[in-house]
Amino acid sequence: MGLHFSLCALLLAAATAAPAVPPIESLLVLNELQGSKDSAGTGFDITGQVLLICDGQPRRINLIKGNDTATLNFWDVCNCTTNCRSGDIVRAQGIIRDAIDIAQRDMPAPVCACLTNLSVLGHSPLPPTVGASAGQINANELRNRFIHATGVIASVVRDAANVGWNWIVLRTDSDVWKIRASVTEHDYPYDRLLKLLDAEVEVRGISHQFASWRTFLGYHMILYGQDGIRVLAPAPHPFAAPDLSSTPVPQSTSHRQQTRGHVLGSDGKRLFLKDAAGRFIPVTPIAGQQLPPVGTAVTVSGFVDLGPMNIQMNGAVIKADDVPPIQTPEAEFIEAERMFSSADGTDIADSALYGKVLRIRGQIANSTDGIRIDGKILLECGKRTIDVSVAHLLDALDADIEKGCLISATGICLSEFDTDVANLAFPEF
């Protein structure tokens, strides 16, 4: 018994004498350690300033230390209920944990800093910003710098993967560049952002390269704080916008424009308008807009872009006009190959067919399941395969539609490109 007692006492004395590992006190060091799982279990005790808050699961806080953006860091908040706001000076204490243990989905680092205590020590203005142009942001000339920029909010969407974030696009005086920016739902709820469409604003944040685990579509700003968006001129009424109906060659401008016409068709997400000037215009409405039936006379007000074939309108508001509807034009039957050659036989896509109601014949090349999953029929027409969009008609498809069937399809002839402005507005999977 005596020997056993002596050994226990010796082990206890050794354990007591072992020096404790001091907590990390540097944001920069903590960022470096988040690249290695060997740091899991290390504690930290850091004083910094809150840049932004994202109320997700888990909740996240961005901290900075002075003006040094190299210390920008994401934090997972574990068992931490202290309320704070952008600009607060805080003492952050916690431990580095394995990212998988806390269900961290959107950070490539294998381990994450997990807050267990957050104490607000005071408040201070966030770092000053420098003015930036859309060209400088998109050329990555100001990466990780605190910047501000001006423009007109032309698009608002929820993030495709994280409901804690929203995206906006600003049009600027440049015909080439737009500014993409992300903002937290905590600071700027989606419904509030929708009310800022067409407003002239100044935004402030950090110039940033989009996370490597999504498709890279360029550079953007991360906005921060309750004054991350400052309104310079409120949004005018949508139907006070300039009328482009009588404009021979409409221009892409920062603000909304409006036009009148009849609904030629719809794919459930867009309507296709034949306006008073005879132009075919794809129109993408803002969230919550009801798409009127085919033939309805409407006025649409939105942001015009010059597409590869013609103009297109995004972020549109729609109202029905008190004018009799029209009948859908009779479809013109053509061989599919005709879409890829001009009237004189030149091997070039015939832009004159863009927006026309056509009927083509071909053999279905994809399976019934594929049609229902992708929302389109792959129609083999000779040496061409045409995408026939049916996502809005799935419930009405004939039960006998299957691979190998010979069918005729009537619809509107569209040409769509990966580089269309609507497709490049936001980062998506």
Side-chain angles (χ1 to χ4, degrees), residues 120-159:
V120 178
L121 306 179
H123 189 83
S124 180
L126 287 163
T129 56
V130 298
S133 68
Q136 288 176 305
I137 295 169
N138 283 279
N140 198 28
E141 294 178 8
L142 300 168
R143 184 176 178 183
N144 288 342
R145 294 281 300 278
F146 292 98
I147 62 174
H148 63 265
T150 58
V152 175
I153 295 183
S155 297
V156 176
V157 298
R158 297 184 189 275
D159 187 273

Side-chain angles (χ1 to χ4, degrees), residues 130-384:
V130 298
S133 68
Q136 288 176 305
I137 295 169
N138 283 279
N140 198 28
E141 294 178 8
L142 300 168
R143 184 176 178 183
N144 288 342
R145 294 281 300 278
F146 292 98
I147 62 174
H148 63 265
T150 58
V152 175
I153 295 183
S155 297
V156 176
V157 298
R158 297 184 189 275
D159 187 273
N162 188 338
V163 295
W165 290 88
N166 298 310
W167 286 88
I168 63 174
V169 167
L170 272 67
R171 290 176 176 246
T172 68
D173 292 335
S174 169
D175 290 333
V176 178
W177 298 113
K178 297 179 176 66
I179 298 173
R180 290 187 294 273
S182 59
V183 64
T184 66
E185 176 77 11
H186 178 278
D187 288 333
Y188 283 91
Y190 177 77
D191 291 341
R192 180 181 172 190
L193 290 174
L194 284 180
K195 296 177 182 178
L196 294 178
L197 278 170
D198 211 17
E200 295 181 16
V201 299
E202 179 185 83
V203 294
R204 74 167 185 164
I206 292 178
S207 184
H208 190 66
Q209 178 176 336
F210 200 65
S212 59
W213 58 274
R214 292 201 201 180
T215 302
F216 175 69
L217 295 178
Y219 303 93
H220 73 285
M221 292 177 66
I222 300 178
L223 308 186
Y224 54 78
Q226 295 294 330
D227 55 351
I229 301 176
R230 185 165 68 93
V231 177
L232 304 178
H237 191 281
F239 297 107
D243 192 342
L244 60 81
S245 295
S246 58
T247 306
V249 183
Q251 299 297 313
S252 177
T253 65
S254 297
H255 287 279
R256 278 188 171 121
Q257 300 177 74
Q258 64 175 313
T259 189
R260 295 172 176 81
H262 285 83
V263 178
L264 189 62
S266 169
D267 64 1
K269 296 181 179 179
R270 298 170 294 178
L271 64 82
F272 303 106
L273 184 76
K274 181 65 69 74
D275 78 350
R279 291 181 294 239
F280 173 77
I281 307 175
V283 177
T284 303
I286 63 171
Q289 288 278 285
Q290 293 292 324
L291 296 181
V294 173
T296 305
V298 295
T299 300
V300 293
S301 177
F303 301 93
V304 173
D305 285 290
L306 305 179
M309 288 289 181
N310 207 324
I311 63 173
Q312 52 188 295
M313 183 179 286
N314 298 297
V317 178
I318 307 164
K319 69 173 181 178
D321 295 334
D322 189 16
V323 176
I326 62 169
Q327 296 294 318
T328 303
E330 288 292 327
E332 174 188 353
F333 177 79
I334 64 167
E335 297 292 338
E337 187 62 32
R338 173 69 182 79
M339 289 189 277
F340 300 92
S341 61
S342 61
D344 62 4
T346 304
D347 191 16
I348 187 173
D350 189 354
S351 59
L353 296 177
Y354 177 73
K356 300 287 187 183
V357 179
L358 304 177
R359 183 164 56 89
I360 59 176
R361 294 181 65 195
Q363 194 170 35
I364 297 177
N366 54 336
S367 67
T368 303
D369 287 343
I371 293 170
R372 295 196 173 277
I373 292 171
D374 298 332
K376 65 182 178 181
I377 293 173
L378 301 181
L379 199 61
E380 289 184 345
C381 309
K383 65 179 182 179
R384 302 286 184 181

Side-chain angles (χ1 to χ4, degrees), residues 39-183:
S39 61
T42 305
F44 58 86
D45 187 343
I46 296 173
T47 299
Q49 187 176 27
V50 176
L51 186 69
L52 60 84
I53 302 163
C54 180
D55 287 330
Q57 291 296 331
R59 189 172 181 237
R60 286 181 358 200
I61 294 177
N62 261 27
L63 287 187
I64 55 173
K65 188 88 170 181
N67 292 331
D68 187 0
T69 59
T71 61
L72 181 67
N73 194 29
F74 286 110
W75 303 80
D76 290 284
V77 182
C78 309
N79 307 315
C80 180
T81 58
T82 302
N83 290 324
C84 57
R85 59 193 174 102
S86 296
D88 281 350
I89 307 300
V90 298
R91 181 184 180 187
Q93 297 168 291
I95 190 169
I96 299 177
R97 292 181 58 186
D98 192 303
I100 297 176
D101 291 344
I102 50 177
Q104 175 70 344
R105 305 296 184 188
D106 57 354
M107 188 173 179
V111 292
C112 301
C114 181
L115 284 175
T116 55
N117 185 62
L118 189 71
S119 305
V120 178
L121 306 179
H123 189 83
S124 180
L126 287 163
T129 56
V130 298
S133 68
Q136 288 176 305
I137 295 169
N138 283 279
N140 198 28
E141 294 178 8
L142 300 168
R143 184 176 178 183
N144 288 342
R145 294 281 300 278
F146 292 98
I147 62 174
H148 63 265
T150 58
V152 175
I153 295 183
S155 297
V156 176
V157 298
R158 297 184 189 275
D159 187 273
N162 188 338
V163 295
W165 290 88
N166 298 310
W167 286 88
I168 63 174
V169 167
L170 272 67
R171 290 176 176 246
T172 68
D173 292 335
S174 169
D175 290 333
V176 178
W177 298 113
K178 297 179 176 66
I179 298 173
R180 290 187 294 273
S182 59
V183 64

